[in-house]
């Protein structure tokens, strides 16, 4: 049976107003059909940015500030539920019959098609949805390119230096195999139905995408996000720690893709 959305994202966001529009526009251009956005920001500016995308049917926005100040707010330890996990679980449980594929992703992460392709769906359509339950998409970190202050260019144009090797991954899940994810306490992987067997593709299986993770950006931008995640060491020393090793390789492949998609 045909699904309403072939490729969709589940996203928690807060304090991302300078980046939301470019992030959405890029992913729409490369083939993402829909975005389930869990709005932890709650501000009028974020609502205004998203309104045109909602009206065009690209975005389903869920206000998600009801957990502020509760035990579900803030960073977590292992096997501890927070509002981010609850947002992802809501997307899986509520919408898994609507989409074929759902990605856990953040606004500082951009899916990038490999092998010279200019969209995400060419490779994705080669997967057998009856057999493949999910994909561990490799993620690579980009550094600050030497910027201390926020550059005038977009994130994709300004930051073209990265680490040498993949350092993490995130799951792309097949909606036919996803469980309700009630106990999936991770921003990186999904839970799947225990009684429905399927293949999990990993990096060595010649996956056709990667995630470009623009984590630190400039020092100015890093410092402005000190309270967003407990995983971010604070101050200049914290920035240097996270930025170390993320400017080893010049990689301008994203610039080539932007030309192809008429960015």
């Amino acid at each position: 049976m045909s699904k309403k959305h072939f490729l969709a994202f589940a996203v928690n966001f807060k304090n991302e107003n300078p980046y939301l529009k470019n992030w959405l526009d890029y992913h729409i251009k490369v083939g993402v059909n829909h975005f389930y956005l869990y709005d932890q920001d709650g501000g009028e500016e974020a609502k205004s940015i998203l309104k045109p995308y909602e009206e065009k049917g690209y975005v389903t926005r869920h206000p998600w500030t009801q957990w502020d100040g509760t035990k579900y707010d803030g960073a977590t330890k292992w096997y501890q539920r927070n509002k981010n996990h609850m947002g992802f679980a809501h997307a899986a449980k509520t919408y898994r019959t609507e989409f074929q594929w759902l990605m856990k992703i953040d606004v500082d992460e951009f899916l990038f098609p490999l092998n010279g392709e200019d969209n995400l769906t060419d490779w994705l359509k080669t997967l057998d949805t009856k057999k493949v339950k999910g994909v561990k998409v490799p993620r690579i970190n980009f550094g600050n390119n030497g910027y201390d202050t926020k550059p005038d260019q977009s994130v994709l144009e300004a930051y073209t230096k990265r680490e040498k090797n993949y350092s993490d991954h995130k799951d792309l899940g097949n909606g036919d195999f996803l469980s309700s994810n009630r106990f999936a306490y991770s921003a990186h992987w999904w839970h799947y139905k225990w009684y429905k067997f399927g293949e999990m593709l990993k990096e060595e299986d010649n996956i056709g995408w990667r995630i470009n993770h623009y984590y630190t950006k400039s020092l100015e931008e890093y410092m402005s996000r000190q309270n967003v995640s407990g995983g971010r060491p604070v101050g200049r020393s914290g920035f240097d720690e996270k930025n170390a090793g993320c400017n080893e390789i010049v990689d301008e492949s994203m610039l080539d893709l932007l030309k192809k998609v008429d960015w």
Side-chain angles (χ1 to χ4, degrees), residues 207-259:
I207 291 169
W209 303 346
R210 76 178 186 207
I211 301 168
N212 286 4
H213 184 207
Y214 299 93
Y215 181 64
T216 60
K217 303 187 184 75
S218 67
L219 173 63
E220 177 186 11
E221 291 165 284
Y222 183 89
M223 296 293 285
S224 72
R225 296 175 56 77
Q226 291 287 270
N227 297 320
V228 174
S229 170
R232 288 176 178 263
V234 299
R236 177 72 200 229
S237 61
F239 170 79
D240 290 339
E241 175 188 335
K242 286 296 183 181
N243 197 46
C246 291
N247 293 279
E248 297 175 302
I249 301 293
V250 175
D251 184 344
E252 297 185 341
S253 54
M254 178 61 81
L255 301 182
D256 295 331
L257 175 61
L258 295 181
K259 292 176 184 176

Side-chain angles (χ1 to χ4, degrees), residues 1 10 19 61 68 82 103 105 140 146 150 152-153 157 161 170 174 187 192 210 216 219 242 256 263:
M1 185 176 74
Y19 309 105
R61 186 184 68 85
D68 291 358
N82 77 359
M103 185 84 189
I105 197 166
I140 201 157
K150 183 181 178 183
D152 292 333
Q153 296 169 296
E157 295 165 314
K161 293 183 179 180
K170 283 199 168 181
N174 184 340
Y192 301 88
R210 76 178 186 207
T216 60
L219 173 63
K242 286 296 183 181
D256 295 331
W263 180 250

Side-chain angles (χ1 to χ4, degrees), residues 11-133:
V11 188
N12 292 280
F13 76 91
K14 185 175 183 177
N15 300 333
E16 297 285 4
N17 294 343
Y19 309 105
L20 266 177
K21 186 179 187 305
N22 279 347
W23 183 84
L24 285 164
D25 288 344
Y26 167 81
H27 283 108
I28 291 169
K29 282 181 178 291
V30 295
V32 180
N33 307 119
H34 199 73
F35 306 82
Y36 302 106
L37 299 183
Y38 292 83
D39 183 357
Q40 298 180 17
D41 187 272
E44 291 303 316
E45 182 180 0
K47 293 178 187 177
S48 178
I49 292 168
L50 294 176
K51 184 178 179 180
Y53 299 93
E54 291 183 82
E55 292 173 344
K56 292 178 181 178
Y58 285 116
V59 164
T60 299
R61 186 184 68 85
H62 287 278
W64 212 244
T65 58
Q66 68 269 36
W67 309 111
D68 291 358
T70 72
K71 66 180 181 179
Y72 302 113
D73 196 8
T76 60
K77 300 177 181 179
W78 289 105
Y79 300 106
Q80 182 180 349
R81 196 178 187 213
N82 77 359
K83 59 187 180 182
N84 290 344
H85 306 148
M86 295 162 76
F88 291 132
H90 182 274
K93 181 180 180 180
T94 308
Y95 299 113
R96 56 187 162 169
T97 60
E98 287 191 2
F99 56 77
Q100 190 65 64
W101 299 98
L102 185 67
M103 185 84 189
K104 283 190 175 185
I105 197 166
D106 297 324
V107 180
D108 62 358
E109 297 171 329
F110 290 75
L111 277 184
F112 180 76
L114 301 173
N115 306 316
E117 295 178 355
D118 60 5
N119 68 82
L120 299 168
T121 58
D122 281 352
W123 173 75
L124 192 56
K125 287 177 180 177
T126 68
L127 303 186
D128 188 339
T129 57
K130 301 297 183 183
K131 296 180 179 179
V132 178
K133 69 178 182 180

